[in-house]
Amino acid sequence: MTSSNCRFLLKNGLIPNLAENPSVTTLLEAHQGAYTTTRTHSDGSLLLFWERHMNRLSNSLRILLNSNPELLFNSEACRVPFSFVSTKPTMWDSLVQSLVDDSMRKALPLVLDKRRSGEELAITCLVSGNVDSLEELEENFSTAFDVYVHVGSYVPPLFGIHQNRARLAVVGRGRGVANAKYSDWVRGSCSDGRQRKQLEKLRPPYVNELLLSNNGDQILEGCLTNLFVVCHKDVNGDYHKSSQRDNESTVSIELQTAPIRDGVLPGVVRQVILDICSRNKIPVREIAPSWSEREMWSEAFITSSLRLLQHVEVIQAPSSWESLDTQTWTDVTWEEKRFENAPGRITAFIQKAVMEMASMEGYPVSLFDYR
């Protein structure tokens, strides 16, 4: 099924006077700020994990205000008022929710009328600092921000089929401000963003996601995703090659993903999966998967807000970490880990559970009361 390619952009609840509505990438490259992306589910009737996304957007906004305001305001020398820094988190949550809801009520009817049956909607909410308003700011915090809501058609890929598998490559270091989701990572105008642009030169053919590591062994996350691997170990805690599973009573599995403290984005779907594993007593260890222990990996998958969960077919990594100082992927000697018969049993179980939670936590589009 092909997408209808309809898309709309609202700025502070109004349609800007543009020749055509930009793509999401163009929007994020043009404006600094905190953002989050989600989509609808169940034929456009539910928003996926909407409340979690609004909380993450509010958290990202507060983190940037407190530690890196230059990533929020288009100014290296902006001075954030103390009233911003001292504002309670609940007030920021309420402010962000009200600003976004106003645009959502106006954007949804524009796109829903053009959406084809079976299509979903991809929604990106960007909160950008308005540095000119900081000088005149008093109590009305909302005037210090511009809120962009981009809504477009989206056709979710089918899970588990060969053409939708993930092929990954470890190509560079982690981000500096990983605990917030911000547009400069896309724009390339800060050190992190310039780093990401450079990483693209190291992307081997057919690789559809780049992985980050600070030392070439512990894998943190993808540029746009979180990474999970299923690792095999025996009852004594020793790790086994994934093929050595003759006695199921003495071998157990452990799901591994890098902890937030290592500098990874606290992805919404990442937390959903941790919740699922806790509820279903699936062993999880928040530790960065080690490339040197890849023979013990039997499954791997990546998560994102649009695709939700995507099984991994192969991971590539440089045989020498220093070789990444070269200019292009052709100058690097690659090693790889392949996952046979993917998606595996654990991956398939978690994917099914994620879809069930998506329905349980789905936010009805009708609650925006735009009619």
Side-chain angles (χ1 to χ4, degrees):
M1 177 180 177
T2 59
S3 170
S4 61
N5 292 322
C6 65
R7 59 193 184 203
F8 289 90
L9 173 67
L10 277 82
K11 176 183 178 182
N12 300 329
L14 301 174
I15 299 177
N17 186 20
L18 300 173
E20 62 178 2
N21 288 311
S23 67
V24 171
T25 300
T26 300
L27 170 67
L28 297 177
E29 287 180 340
H31 303 284
Q32 288 178 297
Y35 78 100
T36 192
T37 296
T38 185
R39 67 172 174 86
T40 59
H41 174 55
S42 191
D43 202 24
S45 63
L46 300 172
L47 284 168
L48 284 176
F49 308 116
W50 181 247
E51 293 178 347
R52 294 181 187 245
H53 277 281
M54 290 298 97
N55 287 336
R56 199 261 295 277
L57 181 58
S58 177
N59 289 338
S60 294
L61 181 63
R62 291 200 311 272
I63 289 169
L64 296 182
L65 279 170
N66 283 299
S67 61
N68 297 85
E70 70 278 4
L71 298 179
L72 185 61
F73 296 90
N74 190 21
S75 173
E76 291 288 340
C78 67
R79 300 183 62 181
V80 176
F82 177 74
S83 56
F84 269 30
V85 179
S86 59
T87 299
K88 294 181 180 180
T90 53
M91 291 187 62
W92 282 117
D93 294 344
S94 177
L95 173 64
V96 169
Q97 187 82 53
S98 63
L99 291 173
V100 172
D101 281 0
D102 180 57
S103 288
M104 287 290 288
R105 280 191 293 269
K106 298 171 182 176
L108 286 176
L110 298 174
V111 185
L112 286 171
D113 287 344
K114 297 181 180 296
R115 186 185 66 88
R116 295 174 181 169
S117 177
E119 276 186 345
E120 302 295 346
L121 301 177
I123 300 162
T124 294
C125 304
L126 169 70
V127 180
S128 180
N130 186 340
V131 70
D132 294 333
S133 297
L134 283 179
E135 301 296 330
E136 306 168 0
L137 184 67
E138 293 181 2
E139 294 298 323
N140 188 4
F141 289 177
S142 63
T143 60
F145 303 103
D146 291 322
V147 178
Y148 299 85
V149 172
H150 186 285
V151 185
S153 57
Y154 179 74
V155 179
L158 293 175
F159 170 76
I161 63 176
H162 180 70
Q163 56 263 43
N164 290 336
R165 84 286 193 197
R167 299 176 61 91
L168 317 178
V170 183
V171 296
R173 298 182 63 83
R175 291 177 287 176
V177 190
N179 55 352
K181 194 173 181 72
Y182 57 98
S183 61
D184 264 28
W185 178 243
V186 179
R187 300 176 75 214
S189 58
C190 67
S191 59
D192 277 355
R194 288 190 294 272
Q195 174 198 338
R196 185 181 171 189
K197 297 289 186 181
Q198 182 63 32
L199 296 183
E200 290 296 331
K201 298 179 181 179
L202 295 171
R203 182 192 293 267
Y206 309 112
V207 164
N208 47 24
E209 173 63 316
L210 303 177
L211 298 178
L212 307 176
S213 172
N214 288 330
N215 58 13
D217 188 42
Q218 278 75 39
I219 303 177
L220 301 174
E221 61 179 342
C223 284
L224 300 172
T225 61
N226 290 111
L227 171 72
F228 290 79
V229 302
V230 176
C231 193
H232 282 258
K233 63 178 183 178
D234 64 22
V235 293
N236 297 316
D238 297 324
Y239 291 93
H240 279 285
K241 290 185 179 181
S242 60
S243 60
Q244 298 176 346
R245 290 176 283 166
D246 297 332
N247 188 343
E248 294 291 342
S249 64
T250 61
V251 177
S252 63
I253 62 98
E254 175 181 86
L255 191 64
Q256 297 181 350
T257 190
I260 300 301
R261 65 176 179 274
D262 279 4
V264 303
L265 182 72
V268 168
V269 181
R270 175 189 183 276
Q271 186 57 52
V272 168
I273 289 175
L274 294 180
D275 294 344
I276 288 171
C277 290
S278 175
R279 184 176 302 123
N280 290 278
K281 296 181 170 54
I282 298 174
V284 178
R285 190 151 65 113
E286 292 189 65
I287 184 173
S290 177
W291 180 249
S292 60
E293 296 176 351
R294 62 190 178 278
E295 293 303 318
M296 291 73 171
W297 302 349
S298 61
E299 304 176 34
F301 59 87
I302 53 176
T303 60
S304 66
S305 294
L306 291 182
R307 288 179 172 264
L308 298 185
L309 190 150
Q310 188 178 10
H311 74 276
V312 174
E313 178 189 61
V314 63
I315 301 177
Q316 297 176 236
S319 57
S320 169
W321 188 239
E322 288 71 24
S323 66
L324 290 181
D325 293 333
T326 57
Q327 296 300 310
T328 68
W329 68 271
T330 57
D331 301 316
V332 179
T333 301
W334 298 93
E335 301 174 338
E336 67 176 35
K337 167 65 180 179
R338 287 190 171 270
F339 298 91
E340 304 298 334
N341 303 314
R345 177 173 59 90
I346 301 300
T347 302
F349 176 87
I350 292 176
Q351 191 273 342
K352 181 180 178 182
V354 169
M355 297 309 296
E356 291 173 352
M357 278 195 70
S359 295
M360 289 173 54
E361 293 191 23
Y363 189 92
V365 169
S366 58
L367 290 183
F368 284 103
D369 192 27
Y370 51 83
R371 300 294 183 185

